[in-house]
Amino acid sequence: MAPIEPIAIVGASGQLGAALVAAYAGRALLAPPHRELDIEDGAALEAFLTASRPAVLINCTAFHNVDECERLPERAFAVNALAVDRAAALCAAARVAFATMSTDYVFDGALGRPYTEADAPNPLSAYGISKLAGELLVRRHGPAHYIFRLSGVYSALGTSNKGYTFVERVLQQAERGEPLRIVRNMTFSPTFAPHAARVIRDAIDARAYGTHHVTNAGATTWYDFAAAAFARAGLAPAVEELQYDNYGSAVKRPLYSPLASTTLAAAGISGAPTWEIGLEEFLAGRAARKAALA
Ligand SMILES: NC(=O)c1ccc[n+]([C@@H]2O[C@H](COP(=O)([O-])OP(=O)(O)OC[C@H]3O[C@@H](n4cnc5c(N)ncnc54)[C@H](OP(=O)(O)O)[C@@H]3O)[C@@H](O)[C@H]2O)c1
């Protein structure tokens, strides 16, 4: 199969975007920064597609601060749904395949087993609703699209709108000897961005259009994820267990939203390794960066 090139990535400075840039090393790649191409600016996006003629546009942008989305649903819909819809329409008109990212938060967490691509969404939050709206809007522009649902993404970078990712933040708190309080009753599939990027690249190279769940394999709670990181990093902080009170909180979140994929294997694409392997790679990179700075 001929390689899909050139590849264009919007949101390339983010956790997943940067990991995709690395995964596509050596390939023809366009990665305009946010200041040059805003996904909400349809005219700028159309001009970019006309000038650069990518074979696929990969959208890694999002407004994904879940609390802020609840407070500002119009912004959540502008970035996560309406801009995604417009981008998909422009790509369809220009015969450019379109890939966009979604989330485990499209599910309500009530199923009691990991969600596959065949399970029905039922988002609880403005963020999840806006991402599901983005999915539905994309699907109506024809089959040449990919929707990749991720969960608990982390990398060395952290996110621009949330700051350090959870694991980096709790490791730093533990290193400073600060008290920690971590949620125990919320289960998900932590996903190391470089592992997700490899799967996404392979799915696009295989032209495996459709909706795919892309996470590290397995599931854990935020508390146990942090405990695994502390144990591997040689830290033993005191940690108070919290229960996320779904119904007392301003934002309802799924309490059990691990993702599993049936579609990737059917398309001959190997999934990401376990979350423990993802965590170990993250920690090895972190230790190497610290040693280089010392
Ligand atoms: N992080 C998670 O835990 C998680 C979980 C499930 C799904 N996802 C989904 O995965 C995708 C990638 O997430 P991530 O963690 O990599 O996010 P991230 O690190 O916050 O990166 C977002 C990127 O989008 C850019 N951006 C934001 N608004 C933009 C706009 N209007 N126009 C152009 N660029 C814009 C940001 O640039 P600036 O920094 O310059 O603004 C940044 O490069 C998102 O769709 C997200 O919803 C994430």
mmCIF file of all heavy atoms in Angstrom, residues 10-17 33-35 37-40 59-64 75 79-80 100-105 127 131 148-154 158-162 165 222, ligand 1:
data_model
loop_
_atom_site.group_PDB
_atom_site.id
_atom_site.type_symbol
_atom_site.label_atom_id
_atom_site.label_comp_id
_atom_site.label_asym_id
_atom_site.label_seq_id
_atom_site.Cartn_x
_atom_site.Cartn_y
_atom_site.Cartn_z
ATOM 1 N N VAL A 10 -2.796 19.174 13.293
ATOM 2 C CA VAL A 10 -3.121 20.399 14.050
ATOM 3 C C VAL A 10 -3.118 20.016 15.526
ATOM 4 O O VAL A 10 -3.624 18.968 15.896
ATOM 5 C CB VAL A 10 -4.511 21.006 13.719
ATOM 6 C CG1 VAL A 10 -4.413 22.401 13.222
ATOM 7 C CG2 VAL A 10 -5.328 20.139 12.833
ATOM 8 N N GLY A 11 -2.544 20.913 16.341
ATOM 9 C CA GLY A 11 -2.382 20.591 17.758
ATOM 10 C C GLY A 11 -1.104 19.797 17.988
ATOM 11 O O GLY A 11 -0.995 19.010 18.937
ATOM 12 N N ALA A 12 -0.103 20.039 17.128
ATOM 13 C CA ALA A 12 1.123 19.227 17.162
ATOM 14 C C ALA A 12 2.019 19.535 18.359
ATOM 15 O O ALA A 12 2.954 18.784 18.631
ATOM 16 C CB ALA A 12 1.911 19.415 15.866
ATOM 17 N N SER A 13 1.739 20.630 19.084
ATOM 18 C CA SER A 13 2.581 20.930 20.250
ATOM 19 C C SER A 13 2.036 20.264 21.510
ATOM 20 O O SER A 13 2.655 20.353 22.567
ATOM 21 C CB SER A 13 2.672 22.444 20.468
ATOM 22 O OG SER A 13 1.395 22.944 20.830
ATOM 23 N N GLY A 14 0.889 19.609 21.424
ATOM 24 C CA GLY A 14 0.301 18.980 22.608
ATOM 25 C C GLY A 14 0.910 17.610 22.874
ATOM 26 O O GLY A 14 1.815 17.163 22.163
ATOM 27 N N GLN A 15 0.395 16.957 23.897
ATOM 28 C CA GLN A 15 0.942 15.644 24.283
ATOM 29 C C GLN A 15 0.861 14.635 23.143
ATOM 30 O O GLN A 15 1.843 14.016 22.758
ATOM 31 C CB GLN A 15 0.139 15.062 25.441
ATOM 32 C CG GLN A 15 0.167 15.817 26.716
ATOM 33 C CD GLN A 15 -0.400 14.962 27.813
ATOM 34 O OE1 GLN A 15 0.364 14.347 28.556
ATOM 35 N NE2 GLN A 15 -1.702 14.870 27.911
ATOM 36 N N LEU A 16 -0.347 14.467 22.615
ATOM 37 C CA LEU A 16 -0.530 13.470 21.560
ATOM 38 C C LEU A 16 0.061 13.965 20.247
ATOM 39 O O LEU A 16 0.705 13.201 19.519
ATOM 40 C CB LEU A 16 -2.019 13.153 21.382
ATOM 41 C CG LEU A 16 -2.264 12.044 20.374
ATOM 42 C CD1 LEU A 16 -1.745 10.709 20.902
ATOM 43 C CD2 LEU A 16 -3.734 11.944 20.017
ATOM 44 N N GLY A 17 -0.155 15.256 19.949
ATOM 45 C CA GLY A 17 0.360 15.810 18.696
ATOM 46 C C GLY A 17 1.872 15.647 18.609
ATOM 47 O O GLY A 17 2.411 15.210 17.581
ATOM 48 N N PRO A 33 1.930 25.457 13.851
ATOM 49 C CA PRO A 33 1.622 25.744 15.261
ATOM 50 C C PRO A 33 0.285 26.470 15.409
ATOM 51 O O PRO A 33 -0.232 27.047 14.443
ATOM 52 C CB PRO A 33 2.777 26.637 15.711
ATOM 53 C CG PRO A 33 3.399 27.174 14.465
ATOM 54 C CD PRO A 33 3.073 26.230 13.353
ATOM 55 N N HIS A 34 -0.260 26.436 16.609
ATOM 56 C CA HIS A 34 -1.567 27.035 16.912
ATOM 57 C C HIS A 34 -1.633 28.489 16.446
ATOM 58 O O HIS A 34 -2.623 28.920 15.873
ATOM 59 C CB HIS A 34 -1.801 26.925 18.425
ATOM 60 C CG HIS A 34 -3.161 27.346 18.871
ATOM 61 N ND1 HIS A 34 -3.588 27.179 20.152
ATOM 62 C CD2 HIS A 34 -4.186 27.940 18.228
ATOM 63 C CE1 HIS A 34 -4.832 27.639 20.276
ATOM 64 N NE2 HIS A 34 -5.200 28.107 19.118
ATOM 65 N N ARG A 35 -0.530 29.239 16.655
ATOM 66 C CA ARG A 35 -0.567 30.671 16.290
ATOM 67 C C ARG A 35 -0.689 30.863 14.773
ATOM 68 O O ARG A 35 -1.137 31.896 14.303
ATOM 69 C CB ARG A 35 0.657 31.416 16.843
ATOM 70 C CG ARG A 35 1.957 31.003 16.241
ATOM 71 C CD ARG A 35 3.168 31.809 16.741
ATOM 72 N NE ARG A 35 4.370 31.306 16.113
ATOM 73 C CZ ARG A 35 4.990 30.188 16.453
ATOM 74 N NH1 ARG A 35 4.541 29.475 17.463
ATOM 75 N NH2 ARG A 35 6.070 29.783 15.810
ATOM 76 N N LEU A 37 -2.238 28.355 12.713
ATOM 77 C CA LEU A 37 -3.481 27.726 12.249
ATOM 78 C C LEU A 37 -4.353 27.384 13.452
ATOM 79 O O LEU A 37 -4.023 26.500 14.249
ATOM 80 C CB LEU A 37 -3.171 26.450 11.450
ATOM 81 C CG LEU A 37 -4.404 25.762 10.875
ATOM 82 C CD1 LEU A 37 -5.194 26.674 9.944
ATOM 83 C CD2 LEU A 37 -4.007 24.490 10.126
ATOM 84 N N ASP A 38 -5.455 28.122 13.555
ATOM 85 C CA ASP A 38 -6.422 27.876 14.626
ATOM 86 C C ASP A 38 -7.534 27.014 14.036
ATOM 87 O O ASP A 38 -8.122 27.392 13.011
ATOM 88 C CB ASP A 38 -6.968 29.220 15.135
ATOM 89 C CG ASP A 38 -7.779 29.048 16.405
ATOM 90 O OD1 ASP A 38 -8.630 28.130 16.458
ATOM 91 O OD2 ASP A 38 -7.557 29.824 17.354
ATOM 92 N N ILE A 39 -7.828 25.899 14.670
ATOM 93 C CA ILE A 39 -8.828 24.968 14.132
ATOM 94 C C ILE A 39 -10.202 25.629 14.037
ATOM 95 O O ILE A 39 -11.055 25.224 13.253
ATOM 96 C CB ILE A 39 -8.891 23.660 14.985
ATOM 97 C CG1 ILE A 39 -9.714 22.570 14.309
ATOM 98 C CG2 ILE A 39 -9.435 23.927 16.371
ATOM 99 C CD1 ILE A 39 -8.991 21.789 13.279
ATOM 100 N N GLU A 40 -10.410 26.691 14.825
ATOM 101 C CA GLU A 40 -11.700 27.393 14.776
ATOM 102 C C GLU A 40 -11.815 28.347 13.594
ATOM 103 O O GLU A 40 -12.898 28.857 13.323
ATOM 104 C CB GLU A 40 -11.913 28.170 16.077
ATOM 105 C CG GLU A 40 -12.140 27.280 17.274
ATOM 106 C CD GLU A 40 -12.520 28.094 18.481
ATOM 107 O OE1 GLU A 40 -13.663 28.572 18.521
ATOM 108 O OE2 GLU A 40 -11.671 28.261 19.372
ATOM 109 N N ASN A 59 -6.393 15.861 13.658
ATOM 110 C CA ASN A 59 -6.762 16.916 14.598
ATOM 111 C C ASN A 59 -6.486 16.473 16.036
ATOM 112 O O ASN A 59 -7.180 15.608 16.568
ATOM 113 C CB ASN A 59 -8.249 17.254 14.427
ATOM 114 C CG ASN A 59 -8.715 18.218 15.494
ATOM 115 O OD1 ASN A 59 -7.958 19.081 15.943
ATOM 116 N ND2 ASN A 59 -9.959 18.072 15.901
ATOM 117 N N CYS A 60 -5.473 17.073 16.635
ATOM 118 C CA CYS A 60 -5.147 16.760 18.046
ATOM 119 C C CYS A 60 -5.501 17.920 18.958
ATOM 120 O O CYS A 60 -5.034 17.976 20.097
ATOM 121 C CB CYS A 60 -3.657 16.448 18.178
ATOM 122 S SG CYS A 60 -3.161 14.962 17.312
ATOM 123 N N THR A 61 -6.288 18.866 18.481
ATOM 124 C CA THR A 61 -6.677 19.993 19.323
ATOM 125 C C THR A 61 -7.841 19.578 20.215
ATOM 126 O O THR A 61 -8.554 18.622 19.913
ATOM 127 C CB THR A 61 -7.140 21.205 18.491
ATOM 128 O OG1 THR A 61 -8.422 20.916 17.935
ATOM 129 C CG2 THR A 61 -6.160 21.530 17.370
ATOM 130 N N ALA A 62 -8.041 20.303 21.273
ATOM 131 C CA ALA A 62 -9.244 20.090 22.093
ATOM 132 C C ALA A 62 -9.318 21.168 23.148
ATOM 133 O O ALA A 62 -8.312 21.783 23.514
ATOM 134 C CB ALA A 62 -9.213 18.726 22.782
ATOM 135 N N PHE A 63 -10.526 21.386 23.619
ATOM 136 C CA PHE A 63 -10.737 22.120 24.864
ATOM 137 C C PHE A 63 -11.140 21.017 25.833
ATOM 138 O O PHE A 63 -12.274 20.554 25.825
ATOM 139 C CB PHE A 63 -11.839 23.166 24.664
ATOM 140 C CG PHE A 63 -12.088 24.015 25.877
ATOM 141 C CD1 PHE A 63 -11.047 24.551 26.620
ATOM 142 C CD2 PHE A 63 -13.381 24.307 26.282
ATOM 143 C CE1 PHE A 63 -11.284 25.340 27.740
ATOM 144 C CE2 PHE A 63 -13.632 25.098 27.400
ATOM 145 C CZ PHE A 63 -12.579 25.613 28.124
ATOM 146 N N HIS A 64 -10.171 20.521 26.625
ATOM 147 C CA HIS A 64 -10.460 19.309 27.380
ATOM 148 C C HIS A 64 -10.228 19.437 28.884
ATOM 149 O O HIS A 64 -10.062 18.441 29.581
ATOM 150 C CB HIS A 64 -9.704 18.102 26.808
ATOM 151 C CG HIS A 64 -8.216 18.221 26.862
ATOM 152 N ND1 HIS A 64 -7.491 17.833 27.952
ATOM 153 C CD2 HIS A 64 -7.325 18.671 25.958
ATOM 154 C CE1 HIS A 64 -6.203 18.043 27.707
ATOM 155 N NE2 HIS A 64 -6.076 18.557 26.515
ATOM 156 N N ARG A 75 -17.784 27.171 24.680
ATOM 157 C CA ARG A 75 -16.388 27.032 24.220
ATOM 158 C C ARG A 75 -16.102 25.559 23.925
ATOM 159 O O ARG A 75 -15.432 25.229 22.954
ATOM 160 C CB ARG A 75 -15.389 27.540 25.283
ATOM 161 C CG ARG A 75 -15.357 29.024 25.499
ATOM 162 C CD ARG A 75 -14.892 29.790 24.239
ATOM 163 N NE ARG A 75 -13.642 29.289 23.723
ATOM 164 C CZ ARG A 75 -13.380 29.113 22.415
ATOM 165 N NH1 ARG A 75 -14.273 29.404 21.498
ATOM 166 N NH2 ARG A 75 -12.208 28.654 22.035
ATOM 167 N N VAL A 79 -14.895 24.332 20.089
ATOM 168 C CA VAL A 79 -13.619 23.673 19.739
ATOM 169 C C VAL A 79 -13.825 22.186 19.447
ATOM 170 O O VAL A 79 -13.299 21.658 18.459
ATOM 171 C CB VAL A 79 -12.589 23.852 20.885
ATOM 172 C CG1 VAL A 79 -11.272 23.165 20.525
ATOM 173 C CG2 VAL A 79 -12.362 25.325 21.180
ATOM 174 N N ASN A 80 -14.593 21.510 20.307
ATOM 175 C CA ASN A 80 -14.671 20.044 20.239
ATOM 176 C C ASN A 80 -15.727 19.523 19.261
ATOM 177 O O ASN A 80 -15.691 18.346 18.898
ATOM 178 C CB ASN A 80 -14.984 19.478 21.637
ATOM 179 C CG ASN A 80 -13.911 19.823 22.653
ATOM 180 O OD1 ASN A 80 -12.767 20.059 22.287
ATOM 181 N ND2 ASN A 80 -14.274 19.854 23.926
ATOM 182 N N THR A 100 -9.661 12.515 13.992
ATOM 183 C CA THR A 100 -9.846 13.352 15.174
ATOM 184 C C THR A 100 -9.876 12.482 16.420
ATOM 185 O O THR A 100 -10.040 11.261 16.331
ATOM 186 C CB THR A 100 -11.119 14.229 15.028
ATOM 187 O OG1 THR A 100 -11.065 15.299 15.963
ATOM 188 C CG2 THR A 100 -12.391 13.417 15.232
ATOM 189 N N MET A 101 -9.675 13.123 17.572
ATOM 190 C CA MET A 101 -9.534 12.369 18.827
ATOM 191 C C MET A 101 -10.775 12.540 19.686
ATOM 192 O O MET A 101 -11.324 13.632 19.791
ATOM 193 C CB MET A 101 -8.312 12.865 19.616
ATOM 194 C CG MET A 101 -7.033 12.868 18.802
ATOM 195 S SD MET A 101 -6.631 11.230 18.127
ATOM 196 C CE MET A 101 -5.828 11.716 16.586
ATOM 197 N N SER A 102 -11.194 11.462 20.322
ATOM 198 C CA SER A 102 -12.299 11.535 21.262
ATOM 199 C C SER A 102 -11.866 10.871 22.583
ATOM 200 O O SER A 102 -10.666 10.704 22.820
ATOM 201 C CB SER A 102 -13.553 10.910 20.652
ATOM 202 O OG SER A 102 -14.669 11.171 21.477
ATOM 203 N N THR A 103 -12.806 10.495 23.389
ATOM 204 C CA THR A 103 -12.495 10.235 24.794
ATOM 205 C C THR A 103 -13.376 9.152 25.408
ATOM 206 O O THR A 103 -14.505 8.918 24.954
ATOM 207 C CB THR A 103 -12.699 11.554 25.586
ATOM 208 O OG1 THR A 103 -12.646 11.298 26.984
ATOM 209 C CG2 THR A 103 -14.055 12.189 25.306
ATOM 210 N N ASP A 104 -12.867 8.536 26.476
ATOM 211 C CA ASP A 104 -13.675 7.605 27.264
ATOM 212 C C ASP A 104 -14.847 8.326 27.943
ATOM 213 O O ASP A 104 -15.807 7.678 28.376
ATOM 214 C CB ASP A 104 -12.817 6.896 28.321
ATOM 215 C CG ASP A 104 -12.062 7.854 29.232
ATOM 216 O OD1 ASP A 104 -11.636 8.932 28.751
ATOM 217 O OD2 ASP A 104 -11.883 7.538 30.421
ATOM 218 N N TYR A 105 -14.775 9.674 28.030
ATOM 219 C CA TYR A 105 -15.858 10.423 28.680
ATOM 220 C C TYR A 105 -17.130 10.486 27.827
ATOM 221 O O TYR A 105 -18.116 11.095 28.235
ATOM 222 C CB TYR A 105 -15.383 11.837 29.057
ATOM 223 C CG TYR A 105 -14.642 11.873 30.387
ATOM 224 C CD1 TYR A 105 -13.804 10.837 30.769
ATOM 225 C CD2 TYR A 105 -14.801 12.932 31.264
ATOM 226 C CE1 TYR A 105 -13.139 10.864 31.979
ATOM 227 C CE2 TYR A 105 -14.140 12.969 32.487
ATOM 228 C CZ TYR A 105 -13.312 11.927 32.833
ATOM 229 O OH TYR A 105 -12.657 11.952 34.038
ATOM 230 N N TYR A 127 -18.019 18.278 28.611
ATOM 231 C CA TYR A 127 -16.874 17.840 27.797
ATOM 232 C C TYR A 127 -17.230 16.603 26.974
ATOM 233 O O TYR A 127 -17.050 16.569 25.753
ATOM 234 C CB TYR A 127 -15.675 17.558 28.710
ATOM 235 C CG TYR A 127 -14.520 16.861 28.015
ATOM 236 C CD1 TYR A 127 -13.827 17.479 26.986
ATOM 237 C CD2 TYR A 127 -14.134 15.568 28.391
ATOM 238 C CE1 TYR A 127 -12.765 16.842 26.344
ATOM 239 C CE2 TYR A 127 -13.070 14.929 27.761
ATOM 240 C CZ TYR A 127 -12.395 15.566 26.739
ATOM 241 O OH TYR A 127 -11.361 14.931 26.098
ATOM 242 N N LYS A 131 -17.567 16.220 22.893
ATOM 243 C CA LYS A 131 -16.725 15.297 22.104
ATOM 244 C C LYS A 131 -17.596 14.316 21.321
ATOM 245 O O LYS A 131 -17.296 13.988 20.180
ATOM 246 C CB LYS A 131 -15.745 14.546 23.020
ATOM 247 C CG LYS A 131 -14.704 15.410 23.698
ATOM 248 C CD LYS A 131 -13.740 16.085 22.738
ATOM 249 C CE LYS A 131 -12.607 15.188 22.310
ATOM 250 N NZ LYS A 131 -11.551 15.939 21.563
ATOM 251 N N PHE A 148 -10.473 8.391 16.966
ATOM 252 C CA PHE A 148 -9.706 7.611 17.934
ATOM 253 C C PHE A 148 -10.110 8.057 19.336
ATOM 254 O O PHE A 148 -9.937 9.222 19.692
ATOM 255 C CB PHE A 148 -8.203 7.822 17.719
ATOM 256 C CG PHE A 148 -7.713 7.365 16.374
ATOM 257 C CD1 PHE A 148 -7.362 8.287 15.393
ATOM 258 C CD2 PHE A 148 -7.618 6.010 16.083
ATOM 259 C CE1 PHE A 148 -6.909 7.866 14.148
ATOM 260 C CE2 PHE A 148 -7.164 5.580 14.835
ATOM 261 C CZ PHE A 148 -6.812 6.510 13.865
ATOM 262 N N ARG A 149 -10.654 7.128 20.115
ATOM 263 C CA ARG A 149 -11.021 7.457 21.501
ATOM 264 C C ARG A 149 -9.871 7.067 22.423
ATOM 265 O O ARG A 149 -9.421 5.908 22.399
ATOM 266 C CB ARG A 149 -12.289 6.714 21.922
ATOM 267 C CG ARG A 149 -13.538 7.177 21.187
ATOM 268 C CD ARG A 149 -14.776 6.639 21.910
ATOM 269 N NE ARG A 149 -16.000 6.899 21.180
ATOM 270 C CZ ARG A 149 -16.879 5.963 20.820
ATOM 271 N NH1 ARG A 149 -16.677 4.678 21.145
ATOM 272 N NH2 ARG A 149 -17.975 6.275 20.167
ATOM 273 N N LEU A 150 -9.440 8.039 23.242
ATOM 274 C CA LEU A 150 -8.323 7.807 24.163
ATOM 275 C C LEU A 150 -8.808 7.973 25.598
ATOM 276 O O LEU A 150 -9.947 8.389 25.830
ATOM 277 C CB LEU A 150 -7.196 8.809 23.869
ATOM 278 C CG LEU A 150 -6.637 8.730 22.445
ATOM 279 C CD1 LEU A 150 -7.067 9.920 21.616
ATOM 280 C CD2 LEU A 150 -5.135 8.627 22.456
ATOM 281 N N SER A 151 -7.915 7.718 26.546
ATOM 282 C CA SER A 151 -8.272 7.817 27.962
ATOM 283 C C SER A 151 -7.018 8.165 28.756
ATOM 284 O O SER A 151 -5.953 7.602 28.499
ATOM 285 C CB SER A 151 -8.823 6.454 28.407
ATOM 286 O OG SER A 151 -8.754 6.290 29.800
ATOM 287 N N GLY A 152 -7.131 9.115 29.665
ATOM 288 C CA GLY A 152 -6.023 9.419 30.583
ATOM 289 C C GLY A 152 -4.663 9.527 29.916
ATOM 290 O O GLY A 152 -3.717 8.855 30.315
ATOM 291 N N VAL A 153 -4.565 10.422 28.912
ATOM 292 C CA VAL A 153 -3.323 10.538 28.133
ATOM 293 C C VAL A 153 -2.256 11.258 28.958
ATOM 294 O O VAL A 153 -2.536 12.272 29.611
ATOM 295 C CB VAL A 153 -3.588 11.336 26.832
ATOM 296 C CG1 VAL A 153 -2.302 11.507 26.027
ATOM 297 C CG2 VAL A 153 -4.660 10.645 25.992
ATOM 298 N N TYR A 154 -1.029 10.739 28.925
ATOM 299 C CA TYR A 154 0.070 11.434 29.597
ATOM 300 C C TYR A 154 1.343 11.261 28.779
ATOM 301 O O TYR A 154 1.488 10.320 27.989
ATOM 302 C CB TYR A 154 0.269 10.924 31.039
ATOM 303 C CG TYR A 154 0.719 9.485 31.126
ATOM 304 C CD1 TYR A 154 2.059 9.166 31.354
ATOM 305 C CD2 TYR A 154 -0.189 8.434 30.964
ATOM 306 C CE1 TYR A 154 2.485 7.851 31.426
ATOM 307 C CE2 TYR A 154 0.227 7.111 31.024
ATOM 308 C CZ TYR A 154 1.558 6.830 31.255
ATOM 309 O OH TYR A 154 1.975 5.525 31.308
ATOM 310 N N GLY A 158 3.006 17.163 29.384
ATOM 311 C CA GLY A 158 1.867 17.778 30.059
ATOM 312 C C GLY A 158 1.010 18.488 29.030
ATOM 313 O O GLY A 158 1.403 18.623 27.868
ATOM 314 N N THR A 159 -0.170 18.939 29.454
ATOM 315 C CA THR A 159 -1.065 19.576 28.481
ATOM 316 C C THR A 159 -1.037 21.078 28.667
ATOM 317 O O THR A 159 -0.840 21.573 29.768
ATOM 318 C CB THR A 159 -2.522 19.086 28.647
ATOM 319 O OG1 THR A 159 -3.060 19.712 29.799
ATOM 320 C CG2 THR A 159 -2.613 17.595 28.780
ATOM 321 N N SER A 160 -1.275 21.789 27.560
ATOM 322 C CA SER A 160 -1.194 23.244 27.649
ATOM 323 C C SER A 160 -2.350 23.818 28.452
ATOM 324 O O SER A 160 -2.204 24.841 29.084
ATOM 325 C CB SER A 160 -1.158 23.852 26.249
ATOM 326 O OG SER A 160 -2.306 23.489 25.526
ATOM 327 N N ASN A 161 -3.517 23.146 28.439
ATOM 328 C CA ASN A 161 -4.622 23.765 29.186
ATOM 329 C C ASN A 161 -4.874 23.133 30.555
ATOM 330 O O ASN A 161 -5.710 23.607 31.281
ATOM 331 C CB ASN A 161 -5.897 23.896 28.335
ATOM 332 C CG ASN A 161 -6.498 22.576 27.938
ATOM 333 O OD1 ASN A 161 -6.407 21.608 28.684
ATOM 334 N ND2 ASN A 161 -7.118 22.519 26.784
ATOM 335 N N LYS A 162 -4.104 22.107 30.914
ATOM 336 C CA LYS A 162 -4.256 21.554 32.269
ATOM 337 C C LYS A 162 -2.928 21.531 33.034
ATOM 338 O O LYS A 162 -2.893 21.218 34.204
ATOM 339 C CB LYS A 162 -4.831 20.135 32.197
ATOM 340 C CG LYS A 162 -6.293 20.118 31.807
ATOM 341 C CD LYS A 162 -6.957 18.787 32.044
ATOM 342 C CE LYS A 162 -6.589 17.747 31.046
ATOM 343 N NZ LYS A 162 -7.491 16.578 31.054
ATOM 344 N N THR A 165 0.686 16.615 33.647
ATOM 345 C CA THR A 165 -0.276 15.527 33.728
ATOM 346 C C THR A 165 -0.271 14.976 35.157
ATOM 347 O O THR A 165 0.648 15.198 35.938
ATOM 348 C CB THR A 165 0.068 14.407 32.742
ATOM 349 O OG1 THR A 165 1.425 14.125 32.867
ATOM 350 C CG2 THR A 165 -0.252 14.811 31.329
ATOM 351 N N TRP A 222 -6.993 5.731 39.626
ATOM 352 C CA TRP A 222 -6.004 6.821 39.759
ATOM 353 C C TRP A 222 -5.093 6.526 40.949
ATOM 354 O O TRP A 222 -3.872 6.743 40.885
ATOM 355 C CB TRP A 222 -6.723 8.164 39.945
ATOM 356 C CG TRP A 222 -7.425 8.612 38.698
ATOM 357 C CD1 TRP A 222 -8.753 8.502 38.431
ATOM 358 C CD2 TRP A 222 -6.820 9.201 37.534
ATOM 359 N NE1 TRP A 222 -9.014 9.000 37.165
ATOM 360 C CE2 TRP A 222 -7.852 9.441 36.601
ATOM 361 C CE3 TRP A 222 -5.517 9.561 37.194
ATOM 362 C CZ2 TRP A 222 -7.627 10.024 35.349
ATOM 363 C CZ3 TRP A 222 -5.284 10.141 35.952
ATOM 364 C CH2 TRP A 222 -6.334 10.361 35.047
HETATM 365 N N1 LIG B 1 -5.345 14.371 27.887
HETATM 366 C C1 LIG B 1 -6.193 13.373 28.119
HETATM 367 O O1 LIG B 1 -6.206 12.781 29.198
HETATM 368 C C2 LIG B 1 -7.147 12.914 27.040
HETATM 369 C C3 LIG B 1 -8.009 11.825 27.315
HETATM 370 C C4 LIG B 1 -8.900 11.406 26.319
HETATM 371 C C5 LIG B 1 -8.917 12.063 25.092
HETATM 372 N N2 LIG B 1 -8.084 13.114 24.876
HETATM 373 C C6 LIG B 1 -8.143 13.794 23.583
HETATM 374 O O2 LIG B 1 -6.902 13.636 22.914
HETATM 375 C C7 LIG B 1 -6.620 14.797 22.140
HETATM 376 C C8 LIG B 1 -5.222 15.300 22.444
HETATM 377 O O3 LIG B 1 -5.130 15.612 23.833
HETATM 378 P P1 LIG B 1 -3.750 16.112 24.464
HETATM 379 O O4 LIG B 1 -3.706 15.604 25.856
HETATM 380 O O5 LIG B 1 -2.623 15.832 23.531
HETATM 381 O O6 LIG B 1 -4.033 17.692 24.495
HETATM 382 P P2 LIG B 1 -2.996 18.887 24.760
HETATM 383 O O7 LIG B 1 -1.695 18.360 25.238
HETATM 384 O O8 LIG B 1 -3.726 19.896 25.589
HETATM 385 O O9 LIG B 1 -2.760 19.488 23.309
HETATM 386 C C9 LIG B 1 -3.741 20.235 22.647
HETATM 387 C C10 LIG B 1 -3.086 20.868 21.440
HETATM 388 O O10 LIG B 1 -4.086 21.553 20.701
HETATM 389 C C11 LIG B 1 -3.654 22.883 20.475
HETATM 390 N N3 LIG B 1 -4.858 23.707 20.367
HETATM 391 C C12 LIG B 1 -5.803 23.948 21.306
HETATM 392 N N4 LIG B 1 -6.789 24.701 20.792
HETATM 393 C C13 LIG B 1 -6.455 24.909 19.501
HETATM 394 C C14 LIG B 1 -7.077 25.601 18.432
HETATM 395 N N5 LIG B 1 -8.242 26.261 18.614
HETATM 396 N N6 LIG B 1 -6.473 25.620 17.201
HETATM 397 C C15 LIG B 1 -5.272 24.987 17.020
HETATM 398 N N7 LIG B 1 -4.625 24.336 17.997
HETATM 399 C C16 LIG B 1 -5.223 24.290 19.213
HETATM 400 C C17 LIG B 1 -2.765 23.222 21.638
HETATM 401 O O11 LIG B 1 -1.904 24.282 21.301
HETATM 402 P P3 LIG B 1 -1.596 25.459 22.383
HETATM 403 O O12 LIG B 1 -0.970 24.795 23.545
HETATM 404 O O13 LIG B 1 -0.699 26.388 21.631
HETATM 405 O O14 LIG B 1 -2.953 26.054 22.678
HETATM 406 C C18 LIG B 1 -2.005 21.890 21.775
HETATM 407 O O15 LIG B 1 -0.989 21.813 20.779
HETATM 408 C C19 LIG B 1 -7.758 15.787 22.425
HETATM 409 O O16 LIG B 1 -8.727 15.683 21.421
HETATM 410 C C20 LIG B 1 -8.358 15.297 23.729
HETATM 411 O O17 LIG B 1 -9.732 15.620 23.852
HETATM 412 C C21 LIG B 1 -7.192 13.553 25.811
#
